[in-house]
Amino acid sequence: MRVAITGAAGQLGSELVRAFDAAGWETAALSRPAFRLEHPTLDVAADLVVNAAAWTDVDGCVRDPARAMRLNGVAPGVLAALARDVGARFVQVSTNEVFDGAEPRAYAEADPTHPINPYGASKLAGEDAVRAAYPRALIVRTAWIFGGPRSFPSKILAAGRRAAGAAEPLRVVADEVGNPTPAATLADRIVALVALPAAPSLVHLAGEPPVSRHAWASRVLEEAHLLAPLPMALRDFVRDSTPPPHAVLDTALARSLGLGIEWRTGIIGSIPPE
């Protein structure tokens, strides 16, 4: 069996290549410059296509929402149609930011979506485009992926080390809550998902338990034997995008399928060395 993985050089894509290789698949790794979401093509034979490519610069999406919609909203539908036409299965990776985060509870797969920023809107449009092009496609929503050099734990570790010798303490938002998700485990779960005899068309694969940015950062710095950050309010953290404050994904369906993800162990081990 052959799988084509788009965005294969990215944080999740590289882990998907590893995971599918380990499971005995023949992998075709599609990444820049040969593969571009601006002009998506599928020039390899495949039994399965996993689209892990996206424009994930959330603040950049605010500055150029039209580009966000082209890359995250339109391109996935084109890829799904290409996969459909060659008889390949298709998996689209989406995000918790399709929800507004206004509910105090976790969001299940059947809950109404309501994105509040251009990134979330573009990713929801991508879900809709995939469903319209290929009703049998699988959509995986996830959140707060980490493991690469630009992910949250890496940035927090670097900031914590700088703060250790500075007069100004590190501050981290305490009222934004989500599901930290290790990229390596997520990739393993996607491999397991497509192996199921009857995989659901939409599933939330994300880390448990939910946690605030501040608590997550505190865990990272505790593992590194550095001082915990001070809490700050989301409204005081100035950025272009407005993140959903409590876009926690309900992972009950995933856990019932044996696809649960625990994020709290080995965080420092997932951070690339300097």
Side-chain angles (χ1 to χ4, degrees), residues 58 61-65 68-69 72 116-123 241:
V58 177
C61 290
V62 175
R63 296 187 289 270
D64 194 347
M69 194 58 69
N72 296 337
I116 59 172
N117 60 49
Y119 173 70
S122 68
K123 292 294 287 183
S241 181

Side-chain angles (χ1 to χ4, degrees), residues 165-193:
E168 184 67 21
L170 176 64
R171 297 179 184 273
V172 179
V173 170
D175 53 349
E176 181 188 358
V177 181
N179 308 75
T181 307
T185 311
L186 175 60
D188 292 338
R189 297 299 184 268
I190 289 174
V191 172
L193 173 69

Side-chain angles (χ1 to χ4, degrees), residues 191-202:
V191 172
L193 173 69
V194 299
L196 293 176
S201 61
L202 172 62

Side-chain angles (χ1 to χ4, degrees), residues 55-134:
W55 189 28
T56 58
D57 180 354
V58 177
D59 292 326
C61 290
V62 175
R63 296 187 289 270
D64 194 347
R67 181 170 187 254
M69 194 58 69
R70 289 195 302 273
L71 301 187
N72 296 337
V74 176
V78 175
L79 285 169
L82 292 171
R84 176 203 64 207
D85 290 346
V86 298
R89 299 173 71 193
F90 188 81
V91 177
Q92 168 69 10
V93 179
S94 192
T95 175
N96 65 317
E97 296 208 22
V98 300
F99 298 109
D100 59 18
E103 295 289 340
R105 59 172 177 80
Y107 290 88
E109 286 83 355
D111 283 332
T113 52
H114 183 231
I116 59 172
N117 60 49
Y119 173 70
S122 68
K123 292 294 287 183
L124 179 59
E127 290 187 13
D128 292 340
V130 166
R131 289 190 190 94
Y134 199 172

